[in-house]
Amino acid sequence: MPRFERLRQLVSGIGREHVYRTIYDEHYTPLIQGVEDLDFQGLEAFRKVDFQGKHVVDLGCNFGFFAFEAARRGAASVLAVDREANVLQGACLLRDAFGQNTVNFLACDIESPGNCLQGRTFDMAMLVEFMGKTFVRAGLVERTLAFYERLSDKELVLSVQKSYYVRKELGSDMETMRRFYPEAYLHGGAMHLLEYVRDFFKDRWNIQMLSDLAPGYEKPRKFMRLYR
Ligand SMILES: C[S@@+](CC[C@H](N)C(=O)[O-])C[C@H]1O[C@@H](n2cnc3c(N)ncnc32)[C@H](O)[C@@H]1O
């Protein structure tokens, strides 16, 4: 059987919306198209992080792209968590094909009380492209960041889109957004997520922007590292 045939069969039975990231082999050649292709600039930003010898957790790993990348860059272990068990079956097939046995996958919904990560801590916690439109629109950002922050007291690596146009991208309106976010993050018809995230952490963490920022609207996710 060709190398990735079982993976292709499995993915054909999974709803397309669950194949978030295009699936790549270890040479970054696309194997199966996902909703979003990899942004190589984002990958370059992510690679500025020192993973050597660290025990890492990756929240919302999907098919494990960034978990595998952390392992390739020297992480001692990566626990990659997602609520979609069938997606993780595919991630396990990839892990076996890559021979990356320091990555472990765990099916778990971090929204459920007493979930698999409650009370656990790691050297580093990753939250890559986890909070998208749905999270912002439903006002789930603060709660998600609070849960995420408890997973490491040393280092956090996350990526978010800088801002979202409230009508065009979120399909919402400013009045609804004001219920979830202070006025300071709502201007120019947009919700400014990156500013919100930075301010959420700034009193407790040192912040390193890993991605370059240009003025105005930018769609590619921006990576940042928080450390103590
Ligand atoms: C937008 S994808 C990001 C995937 C990955 N981090 C990447 O950048 O390639 C978000 C992932 O988070 C998972 N997810 C969403 N809500 C979750 C929850 N409450 N608990 C665990 N996983 C969740 C989804 O199943 C999905 O695979």
Side-chain angles (χ1 to χ4, degrees):
M1 194 187 268
R3 191 161 172 240
F4 292 105
E5 198 46 37
R6 270 185 69 203
L7 176 68
R8 288 184 203 283
Q9 282 168 4
L10 184 127
V11 170
S12 66
I14 297 178
R16 189 177 139 64
E17 72 281 11
H18 294 303
V19 187
Y20 171 70
R21 162 104 36 227
T22 294
I23 302 173
Y24 298 85
D25 71 8
E26 61 273 64
H27 308 294
Y28 308 96
T29 305
L31 295 172
I32 300 171
Q33 184 64 46
V35 176
E36 293 233 353
D37 285 339
L38 179 66
D39 159 35
F40 280 91
Q41 267 188 345
L43 181 61
E44 282 313 306
F46 180 79
R47 285 175 173 167
K48 292 177 189 167
V49 175
D50 176 10
F51 291 98
Q52 208 60 44
K54 292 176 185 168
H55 295 281
V56 177
V57 65
D58 180 18
L59 290 196
C61 62
N62 204 237
F63 283 84
F65 181 87
F66 285 96
F68 291 132
E69 191 63 21
R72 284 181 198 119
R73 306 192 76 76
S77 72
V78 185
L79 179 63
V81 172
D82 203 286
R83 67 180 171 196
E84 299 299 327
N86 49 4
V87 164
L88 294 186
Q89 271 183 10
C92 287
L93 291 175
L94 278 171
R95 176 194 54 203
D96 297 345
F98 298 161
Q100 267 182 338
N101 55 13
T102 52
V103 181
N104 281 300
F105 292 98
L106 185 59
C108 163
D109 185 341
I110 64 148
E111 285 290 316
S112 62
N115 69 61
C116 68
L117 293 177
Q118 290 285 352
R120 297 193 61 179
T121 55
F122 300 81
D123 295 327
M124 181 194 294
M126 307 198 313
L127 191 74
V128 181
E129 297 194 21
F130 185 87
M131 295 186 302
K133 278 184 219 173
T134 328
F135 276 73
V136 178
R137 189 191 303 125
L140 297 175
V141 176
E142 187 179 7
R143 188 166 94 194
T144 305
L145 292 179
F147 177 80
Y148 168 59
E149 186 179 13
R150 286 197 289 273
L151 296 175
S152 179
D153 55 12
K154 296 190 183 115
E155 197 169 6
L156 305 173
V157 172
L158 75 154
S159 73
V160 290
Q161 186 169 317
K162 245 168 96 177
S163 55
Y164 287 91
Y165 287 118
V166 170
R167 277 196 189 284
K168 205 167 74 184
E169 287 181 283
L170 302 181
S172 187
D173 54 67
M174 283 301 202
E175 207 180 312
T176 309
M177 289 294 105
R178 276 190 206 103
R179 283 199 241 135
F180 306 131
Y181 308 107
E183 198 65 44
Y185 307 104
L186 299 170
H187 48 89
M191 190 276 161
H192 295 270
L193 180 60
L194 181 64
E195 287 171 21
Y196 181 93
V197 170
R198 251 193 322 212
D199 288 353
F200 179 91
F201 290 114
K202 72 169 194 255
D203 295 336
R204 298 178 299 283
W205 295 84
N206 300 303
I207 301 182
Q208 178 190 9
M209 271 317 295
L210 300 168
S211 301
D212 295 332
L213 294 178
Y217 179 88
E218 290 184 277
K219 190 150 176 75
R221 309 309 191 279
K222 302 295 180 184
F223 276 88
M224 65 174 97
R225 170 177 169 257
L226 313 175
Y227 61 98
R228 287 192 167 125

